[in-house]
Amino acid sequence: MAISTLELNRPANPTLQKLSNPKKRTTMSVFCLFSIFLLALCISLFTLYHIQSLHARTISSPPWSFMHEWERVTNCTQEHMAEKLRQSVIFLPLTDLRYAGKALQGHTWFMSSMYDTHEEGEVQYQQFPSESSKHRVLCLKGKETHDGSWNSYALAWPEALPFNATLMKGLTFVSYNHYNYDNIWHGLSATVPFVAWHIRNGCESPSRWILYHWGELRFKMAPWLRTLTEATFGGAPFIESFEGVSDNQPVCFEKAVVMRHNEGGMSRDRRIETFDLMRCKARMYCNVSLEGRIPEASKQGLPVIGMTLLMRTGPRSFTNESAVIGIFEKECAKIDGCRLMVAYSNNLTFCDQVKLMSLTDILVSPHGAQLTNMFLMDKNSSVMEFFPKGWLKLAGVGQYVFHWMASWSGMRHRGAWRDPNGDECPYAVDDRRCMSIYKSGKIGFDETYFSEWARNVLNEVKATKLEEAANKTIASTASCACG
């Protein structure tokens, strides 16, 4: 059988072929060793590089650099969130015109989206920041004095105040008054709830006041009210005017208390407590001493009775003042220890009025704001009130405010006399248009009625004073609540 040349040249065993080629085997071994060397060299260089890099970072950065890096990332996230919250602040009109027809009802009209905090018998208020505001602060914007719907409010987190906002430190009192701050009765009604809050909150006093009337800014109080506020809180009230703040620049407050219902909701005991503080503070402020009231009468063991005719000029004044003064002077003279004082409210300073009222046990006066002074008398003092013609039918509940105030401040309202005579109205007697005629009417007199009325009140006051004489303690101005 013939064998091909290819078959004769092929080794029978491949292993024998490799072994039979020692030169080729040596070359491959060298190549493998060189590859291993290169790999080891690369690993060594890589390791040395990272060791050097780690050493450099250790020198330039402390071991806690990771925490710093984490804080940087966290701060970046917080700033982003704060920016989102800042952009989400929405300002709403201070006066909600949807409720313009029922401004005194519920929580409507002023800051209508907010609800008050109200515990039974306590003043109704809003406080920022608080749990109810989710710890947000109050921000205001606008300086409008004629249209409150152009002024606005919003709530914002302290860490995310609106863009370009100014933060005012300290406590801010924000007062809403549906009437005004020039009339001492209406002004006092708006101030009383702040005094009640002051008593209940560690006697904390405000850094500033912001006054609103229908959401419109006001920048002053009646001088009488301003001085009473100064005496009560221990410093002249700073009324914020937002000087230097642009119309569209938000102003936020570190702490704010808002009142918009006057003394509504307060119990009689809470009102009496509040008026007690204001009376005491006013007497201290004016350095009023109650000692020595008619010394000659006191030495005889007689009760001292001060009867004051607090007169008005102009609207609701007496048509015949001398006759009225004569009637009360005659009846006062019949009571040992009685002293009659006649004064006009328009020419007395605040402290003049405080001193006069501290000597007054029976206040005789026409209906009017001057009767607000009654709370400055000792508690259980008496008030006699006079009205022009037409008020009973047409004046509404407002004619009873001083009857209510007597009760709220611990006084005794001894009734009212209503003049049956006066200017005639061209309309029907119950026509509301007649009130414009009757409102500022003059007040006449009835000698018989006035004499009997004065005699009865004087005798009752004398009997009460005699009964209390044994343990009567002169009101002290040595210390007051919130002293």
Side-chain angles (χ1 to χ4, degrees), residues 93-319:
L94 271 176
T95 56
D96 193 334
L97 298 180
R98 295 176 301 169
Y99 303 108
K102 47 183 180 179
L104 296 179
Q105 299 179 19
H107 67 283
T108 59
W109 181 259
F110 183 80
M111 292 178 61
S112 62
S113 68
M114 305 302 299
Y115 287 87
D116 290 336
T117 296
H118 186 209
E119 299 176 12
E120 185 175 358
E122 301 292 343
V123 65
Q124 303 177 63
Y125 69 96
Q126 299 171 30
Q127 183 169 323
F128 308 94
S130 63
E131 290 186 7
S132 61
S133 74
K134 294 181 173 57
H135 304 287
R136 291 172 294 176
V137 299
L138 175 66
C139 299
L140 300 173
K141 186 165 63 173
K143 300 164 63 175
E144 179 62 46
T145 59
H146 295 93
D147 186 351
S149 63
W150 286 95
N151 294 325
S152 56
Y153 70 101
L155 301 185
W157 277 272
E159 303 83 4
L161 299 180
F163 176 74
N164 200 31
T166 297
L167 179 66
M168 292 190 173
K169 297 290 187 177
L171 173 62
T172 301
F173 280 170
V174 181
S175 174
Y176 168 74
N177 192 339
H178 193 66
Y179 299 98
N180 60 66
Y181 300 92
D182 297 324
N183 178 287
I184 65 175
W185 157 253
H186 293 304
L188 179 65
S189 297
T191 304
V192 162
F194 290 103
V195 180
W197 185 92
H198 170 73
I199 295 172
R200 289 293 168 186
N201 289 270
C203 301
E204 187 176 1
S205 295
S207 301
R208 67 191 61 79
W209 292 70
I210 300 177
L211 309 180
Y212 285 107
H213 165 71
W214 289 14
E216 304 162 0
L217 278 171
R218 295 292 181 264
F219 305 118
K220 65 178 183 177
M221 299 175 173
W224 181 95
L225 180 63
R226 184 179 181 87
T227 307
L228 175 63
T229 303
E230 178 178 354
T232 302
F233 292 99
F238 174 74
I239 301 176
E240 184 62 59
S241 62
F242 301 107
E243 185 176 354
V245 177
S246 64
D247 290 344
N248 293 319
Q249 182 179 358
V251 177
C252 303
F253 306 95
E254 181 181 38
K255 183 176 182 180
V257 173
V258 179
M259 303 287 182
R260 55 184 182 174
H261 292 296
N262 292 352
E263 69 275 33
M266 293 175 64
S267 66
R268 182 174 182 270
D269 288 344
R270 188 65 63 242
R271 296 172 198 256
I272 288 178
E273 176 188 47
T274 302
F275 281 112
D276 282 350
L277 175 65
M278 290 191 289
R279 179 190 309 111
C280 183
K281 289 285 191 176
R283 289 178 175 181
M284 287 187 65
Y285 179 86
C286 296
N287 196 26
V288 169
S289 173
L290 300 183
E291 298 177 0
R293 291 175 61 176
I294 318 181
E296 63 277 9
S298 300
K299 291 177 181 179
Q300 300 173 24
L302 299 174
V304 177
I305 301 175
M307 175 178 272
T308 298
L309 270 65
L310 191 57
M311 312 295 272
R312 289 174 61 96
T313 58
R316 295 194 299 281
S317 60
F318 289 110
T319 55

Side-chain angles (χ1 to χ4, degrees), residues 37-51:
F37 172 76
L38 288 177
L39 179 62
L41 180 62
C42 290
I43 292 173
S44 300
L45 291 175
F46 181 79
T47 303
L48 289 173
Y49 171 80
H50 279 276
I51 290 174

